[in-house]
Amino acid sequence: MPYGTLYLIPVPLTDDAALASYTPYLAQLINTIDEYIVENEKTARKFLKQAGLQRPQSELILHDYGKHARGKADIAGFFAGLLAGKDVGLMSEAGCPGVADPGSDIVAEAHHRGIRVAPLVGPSSILLALMASGFNGQSFVFHGYLPIEKGARAKKIKDLEQVAHREKQTQLFIETPFRNNQLLTEILRIGKPQTNLCVACNLTAADEQIISQPLHIWKKGNYDFHKKPAIFLIF
């Protein structure tokens, strides 16, 4: 019997962006699948409903791969349906599975077991921020979170700035939302006036804010990104 397919199903980045986040094909597909591996069951069920799920959710099988269950997850159980020929969906808490996301471990295991992996079109905050920045979209690196310790973080910002200037390469990174303003302050303190900074905040939301300008202009303004999901880009 042939194996099933692991479908990588993107989830909206914000609560009010469902209609802009899925395609008619996705709506069709979710009504053929009754088994999912999910990072957040509540988010997954909400999105499936928004995307047009017609079957009762009580019929769904959801395997929990959230941070509290990950270390003790039954990975073999996750793949039983796939190995038996069933298609299964993989869903993150937000955005695209496997991109800055622990779902990449599931994808790697699927490849290891010879299971077909099919990524679906959907929102990636990293790519959306890069698209909107006006920075180099052919050479870029996403670094995830910067160090928390102040000295190490300052050194990392200086290093990223030097690489951006030397290689003409866009540097992307994120911070815990409640520390966004502190990170911005640090970048403005450390960075050179001509360095370009883009902050893409609340992407796809009604109050989406994308600001891309040199640091010497940033220093003239007053910005507040506190507790708002944001991506920072240096070029």
Side-chain angles (χ1 to χ4, degrees):
M1 179 182 295
Y3 296 157
T5 296
L6 178 66
Y7 286 96
L8 311 186
I9 302 176
V11 174
L13 299 174
T14 63
D15 289 339
D16 57 355
L19 291 178
S21 301
Y22 62 81
T23 65
Y25 174 71
L26 189 152
Q28 175 184 337
L29 177 70
I30 63 171
N31 282 295
T32 69
I33 296 177
D34 66 2
E35 187 170 354
Y36 296 87
I37 303 168
V38 303
E39 184 182 5
N40 184 304
E41 181 174 338
K42 182 178 179 180
T43 301
R45 289 186 181 278
K46 179 179 179 180
F47 173 65
L48 290 170
K49 180 179 179 180
Q50 292 175 333
L53 181 69
Q54 296 175 0
R55 73 170 72 222
Q57 294 216 11
S58 58
E59 298 179 2
L60 301 181
I61 300 171
L62 269 64
H63 301 289
D64 183 358
Y65 196 60
K67 62 181 180 180
H68 298 299
R70 202 167 298 141
K72 51 188 177 182
D74 177 18
I75 300 299
F78 290 1
F79 285 89
L82 285 160
L83 294 174
K86 288 183 62 178
D87 293 337
V88 173
L90 173 64
M91 301 175 71
S92 301
E93 186 171 356
C96 296
V99 179
D101 171 75
S104 58
D105 294 338
I106 300 297
V107 175
E109 183 64 22
H111 286 299
H112 177 71
R113 294 171 180 258
I115 293 168
R116 176 177 174 248
V117 174
L120 302 186
V121 174
S124 164
S125 59
I126 296 170
L127 288 181
L128 291 173
L130 183 63
M131 290 164 60
S133 69
F135 300 167
N136 191 347
Q138 298 194 56
S139 180
F140 56 92
V141 179
F142 176 66
H143 298 273
Y145 291 94
L146 299 190
I148 296 177
E149 196 275 321
K150 191 171 183 179
R153 183 178 60 189
K155 183 181 183 302
K156 186 65 174 181
I157 292 171
K158 289 180 181 178
D159 291 345
L160 295 183
E161 183 182 51
Q162 290 174 1
V163 172
H165 291 175
R166 182 177 67 248
E167 305 293 339
K168 304 300 181 186
Q169 183 185 70
T170 305
Q171 309 295 311
L172 302 91
F173 47 94
I174 55 177
E175 181 53 281
T176 301
F178 69 83
R179 287 199 291 260
N180 281 339
N181 287 347
Q182 292 94 318
L183 177 57
L184 176 61
T185 298
E186 194 76 349
I187 294 171
L188 297 182
R189 182 183 70 83
I190 294 171
K192 298 178 180 179
Q194 71 273 23
T195 294
N196 292 297
L197 170 67
C198 175
V199 180
C201 179
N202 276 344
L203 286 165
T204 72
D207 61 346
E208 175 182 87
Q209 189 177 20
I210 302 171
I211 303 172
S212 185
Q213 57 196 13
L215 292 186
H216 69 87
I217 297 180
W218 274 96
K219 291 179 180 179
K220 297 177 182 178
N222 184 22
Y223 305 95
D224 183 11
F225 303 113
H226 187 53
K227 292 187 177 180
K228 300 175 183 179
I231 294 188
F232 295 76
L233 305 87
I234 286 178
F235 182 61

